[in-house]
Amino acid sequence: MKRASSLAFGLACLASAVHAQDTESKLVINDDIDITTVAEAPAHAENLSEIYSGWAFRSPETMALQMDDFDNPGMIFVDQALDAYNTVEGSAGKSCQSCHGDDAEGLVGARAVYPKWNANAGEVWTMEMAINGCRTERMGAEPWGYTSGNMVNMTALISSVSRGMPVNVSFEGPEHDTWLQGKELYYTRTGQLELSCANCHEDNYDMMIRADHLSQGQINGFPTYRLKNAKLNAVHSRFKGCIRDTRAETYSPGSPEFVALELYVASRGNGLSVEGPSVRN
Amino acid sequence: MRLSTITAVALAFTATVASAQTKYPTDVTFEDGAIAASLSGTPGDPANGQVLMNKGAGNCIACHEVTALAELPFHGGIGPMLDGAADRWTEADLRGIVADAKVMFPESMMPSFYKISGFVRPGDAYTGKAIDPDAITPLLSAQEIEDVVSFLMTLRDE
């Protein structure tokens, strides 16, 4: 009976070309880490009632790739990052491991609260900025490029040790002005196509735009391994791609605008699990 | 000194008013969001309109479903279905909607295919780089809009 009704549902989907997001399947990684992919929307995401990880909008085949680290191509880059993590670099003679312990154990929980206000710098820092802060201030090493391979790999490692923890980004403290700037950007219709983030990812998520199934644009799964380009993708690279596709002049990865947008978009996912490195199409 | 300040304010005001005026490549008169006169003066070619529904800067089916084009893959579900469009709208309505849907529906997500001003951070096609605002060309030419409208006028249920 259940099978028949789901078959009928599947046919209805095909007929109407609408692919409802999958709110039934559960994501458990390695039969061990429970991932929250559907949650009640936080009050500050005032136009949403529920929030969904991008995982719920992908095909069953893509969804399955994230259920086991041996199937998740993103985990190869986590291993590469672990090598870099243990490598002494810079004038202070330190590695990441020197301060943060084996296997990034001292960084458990960090991903869930970033971007985060940095009181010393007097600004909001993304994970990438924090990594470069460590490299230049504590290790005496050269900073990494914002979306370089080393950088995105390291963000994948740091995310991986927090998988399953709820995203819990602060936005009502000293970071509030930055958050408001991010919100403004989220609702600004850019480019010759005059599309905002909200047009696709708030007003029309779960709809098809040509062959693409629109998600809510949640970023709890970043960095994400995309089957499309067969590499890990930083969230600012994804922002840039989306804005470019509105026929607009983009902002740069690491720019104050994208830092603000990341803070705002991350906060809309408060309650979903940290999931990176995720697998998407 | 004071006079020059006033002049500067006046000039700034003039500039604001001018930029608030939406620009199109040719003179266009909207009436309730519709455009009565042909944009090109040449009748539309529905065959080319059909091509534009699927390709290039038209790509109408990215957002709209059209049963008459069912052999083409991946129709979107964002905009209204276009079956029977010619029963619901006049040619002037359709011309206005395709040229600049936001005149009739201010909140519409639909791109303004004939508009060439008023954009936030306009880019040079899909390069991500800025474009000189004076160099912006419309997403569809006057004739291409006429072609699309002539195709839409073939979409009748009755």
Side-chain angles (χ1 to χ4, degrees):
Chain A
M1 182 59 191
K2 188 161 178 238
R3 180 170 215 123
S5 65
S6 67
L7 180 64
F9 178 69
L11 288 172
C13 284
L14 282 175
S16 64
V18 171
H19 301 220
Q21 72 265 37
D22 184 345
T23 57
E24 300 299 317
S25 296
K26 298 289 287 182
L27 175 55
V28 182
I29 298 172
N30 304 331
D31 291 325
D32 179 34
I33 308 169
D34 284 318
I35 300 289
T36 300
T37 58
V38 183
E40 189 182 341
H44 59 273
E46 59 267 30
N47 299 320
L48 299 174
S49 53
E50 284 187 305
I51 51 176
Y52 305 97
S53 162
W55 182 80
F57 296 85
R58 304 282 64 98
S59 72
E61 295 78 12
T62 304
M63 292 165 91
L65 287 173
Q66 215 182 305
M67 293 176 177
D68 191 310
D69 283 351
F70 285 107
D71 295 329
N72 181 341
M75 293 307 290
I76 294 163
F77 302 99
V78 170
D79 284 343
Q80 290 179 10
L82 202 51
D83 290 339
Y85 180 89
N86 290 319
T87 302
V88 172
E89 263 194 277
S91 58
K94 290 181 184 173
S95 69
C96 308
Q97 188 274 343
S98 309
C99 293
H100 300 293
D102 290 340
D103 299 326
E105 64 184 9
L107 294 167
V108 170
R111 175 70 269 176
V113 296
Y114 269 81
K116 186 181 174 193
W117 180 255
N118 182 300
N120 289 331
E123 63 182 1
V124 171
W125 273 19
T126 61
M127 186 57 75
E128 286 88 341
M129 293 161 80
I131 289 168
N132 269 345
C134 267
R135 288 183 61 80
T136 58
E137 303 305 314
R138 297 184 190 184
M139 296 169 70
E142 290 295 309
W144 281 332
Y146 199 91
T147 57
S148 63
N150 278 327
M151 181 64 91
V152 72
N153 290 356
M154 190 60 71
T155 65
L157 168 62
I158 293 170
S159 175
S160 70
V161 297
S162 294
R163 286 183 295 174
M165 300 176 73
V167 175
N168 186 20
V169 168
S170 298
F171 61 95
E172 293 174 307
E175 66 286 331
H176 191 62
D177 284 349
T178 306
W179 184 83
L180 286 174
Q181 187 198 355
K183 183 175 186 178
E184 166 109 19
L185 285 165
Y186 187 87
Y187 287 101
T188 298
R189 298 180 66 163
T190 59
Q192 196 169 355
L193 300 187
E194 296 180 293
L195 297 173
S196 69
C197 306
N199 281 135
C200 286
H201 298 293
E202 182 172 277
D203 299 340
N204 287 293
Y205 70 86
D206 201 27
M207 294 288 183
M208 297 299 291
I209 185 162
R210 204 69 209 239
D212 288 332
H213 188 192
L214 290 171
S215 75
Q216 282 186 345
Q218 297 286 355
I219 60 174
N220 58 304
F222 277 84
T224 188
Y225 182 89
R226 294 191 73 188
L227 302 170
K228 178 179 178 176
N229 59 14
K231 64 170 192 169
L232 278 182
N233 294 264
V235 68
H236 287 199
S237 300
R238 185 65 282 228
F239 287 167
K240 185 178 174 181
C242 262
I243 292 182
R244 178 200 63 215
D245 289 347
T246 70
R247 288 179 79 105
E249 177 190 5
T250 63
Y251 298 99
S252 299
S255 63
E257 291 85 358
F258 275 172
V259 171
L261 184 61
E262 181 181 344
L263 174 64
Y264 176 69
V265 177
S267 80
R268 293 169 64 94
N270 279 355
L272 296 173
S273 295
V274 173
E275 218 184 277
S278 64
V279 185
R280 303 288 187 260
N281 57 342
Chain B
M1 183 64 189
R2 178 140 186 267
L3 188 61
S4 70
T5 310
I6 291 169
T7 311
V9 169
L11 283 173
F13 183 69
T14 311
T16 308
V17 170
S19 68
Q21 208 77 27
T22 305
K23 288 187 200 158
Y24 302 95
T26 53
D27 283 338
V28 180
T29 306
F30 284 91
E31 199 170 329
D32 298 329
I35 304 172
S38 166
L39 296 176
S40 66
T42 303
D45 169 10
N48 190 48
Q50 181 168 339
V51 172
L52 290 167
M53 295 293 292
N54 179 41
K55 284 197 173 143
N59 200 10
C60 311
I61 65 171
C63 289
H64 299 277
E65 196 180 344
V66 190
T67 303
L69 303 176
E71 77 277 9
L72 299 170
F74 305 124
H75 296 219
I78 291 172
M81 211 215 197
L82 296 179
D83 289 6
D87 298 323
R88 295 192 296 279
W89 305 101
T90 65
E91 183 185 288
D93 290 333
L94 291 170
R95 184 179 290 112
I97 293 169
V98 175
D100 190 350
K102 297 178 195 87
V103 177
M104 195 179 292
F105 306 108
E107 301 299 316
S108 176
M109 176 176 162
M110 183 166 159
S112 299
F113 286 89
Y114 202 50
K115 191 170 90 167
I116 54 170
S117 73
F119 303 112
V120 176
R121 295 178 73 84
D124 184 359
Y126 295 102
T127 63
K129 310 266 188 251
I131 191 172
D132 174 358
D134 292 332
I136 296 172
T137 53
L139 295 167
L140 292 176
S141 69
Q143 189 57 47
E144 286 172 330
I145 289 173
E146 293 303 320
D147 293 350
V148 168
V149 169
S150 69
F151 172 76
L152 295 175
M153 288 304 292
T154 68
L155 300 178
R156 292 189 182 279
D157 285 335
E158 292 107 58

